Amino acid sequence: SYELTQPPSVSVSPGQTARITCSGDALPKKYAYWYQQKSGQAPVLVIYEDSKRPSGIPERFSGSSSGTMVTLTISGAQGEDEADYYCYSTDSSGPYWVFGGGTKLTVL
Amino acid sequence: EVQLLESGGGLVQPGGSLRLSCVASGFTFSSYAMTWVRQAPGKGLEWVSAISGSDGSTYYADSVKGRFTISRDNSKNTLYLQMNSLRAEDTAVYYCAKSGSSFHPDSWGQGTLVTVAS
């Protein structure tokens, strides 16, 4: 079965840039999406189609893609950005979709 | 404003059944794909099932195929998930989500908790 691989945790100091990666064999051909989930809350879409930002998402959130890896970048991370982040995509053989294992971002 | 309200969760014994519902408002329900995603306690998100808005095509994760059935009633703006032969590992918060053209969730409900235990 298809897998998306993320680091379990990332830590940065306030104001620094946080980068969260997600790797998967089909990512060169399939879009990735990123979700933020704060404790006790439903997930929120923060990046779609690799690098597009939904309305209402701060500009410090950006996404990029290179080969089999996509990256969520939070420029000038703030305490309110502490959350779990999940990438999401589909296998090239489809049709089914998967989430990465999630990355816990700590800003301290 | 998109609103999604799940219901139907609760405690059920292994081998039992449960039907989840998700009432949608704030968008043209029939025009959008819908997705169920679950999250076991303390664990990550797991895609469960999706249904297209156009022709009602359905898709399932291997972990639920043959046991769960997704359906929709566009006249009632309601999404369903019929869950049969439930197992302890199905214990999770189940979220319904409005989905985009690539079946990616773009708006989520608050979830309903399903607990499978004797």
Side-chain angles (χ1 to χ4, degrees), chain A residues 9-89:
Chain A
S9 63
V10 168
S11 275
V12 297
S13 300
Q16 286 190 327
T17 295
R19 293 181 179 86
I20 299 172
T21 59
C22 171
S23 61
D25 290 341
L27 289 177
K29 302 177 184 177
K30 299 295 183 180
Y31 283 128
Y33 302 80
W34 288 96
Y35 297 89
Q36 175 195 69
Q37 186 181 33
K38 296 182 178 179
S39 180
Q41 297 183 21
V44 172
L45 178 68
V46 294
I47 293 290
Y48 67 101
E49 294 181 358
D50 290 348
S51 60
K52 298 176 182 177
R53 195 173 52 250
S55 61
I57 300 301
E59 290 185 7
R60 63 180 180 274
F61 287 87
S62 63
S64 60
S65 176
S66 179
T68 60
M69 182 176 290
V70 293
T71 302
L72 172 68
T73 300
I74 307 171
S75 304
Q78 302 178 7
E80 66 197 58
D81 301 328
E82 278 205 346
D84 293 322
Y85 290 85
Y86 296 89
C87 60
Y88 175 85
S89 188

Side-chain angles (χ1 to χ4, degrees), chain B residues 73-94:
Chain B
D73 185 337
N74 290 336
S75 68
K76 296 182 178 179
N77 287 357
T78 302
L79 175 73
Y80 301 101
L81 187 67
Q82 177 67 43
M83 305 186 294
N84 298 331
S85 303
L86 283 162
R87 307 166 179 167
E89 54 264 37
D90 296 318
T91 294
V93 172
Y94 285 73

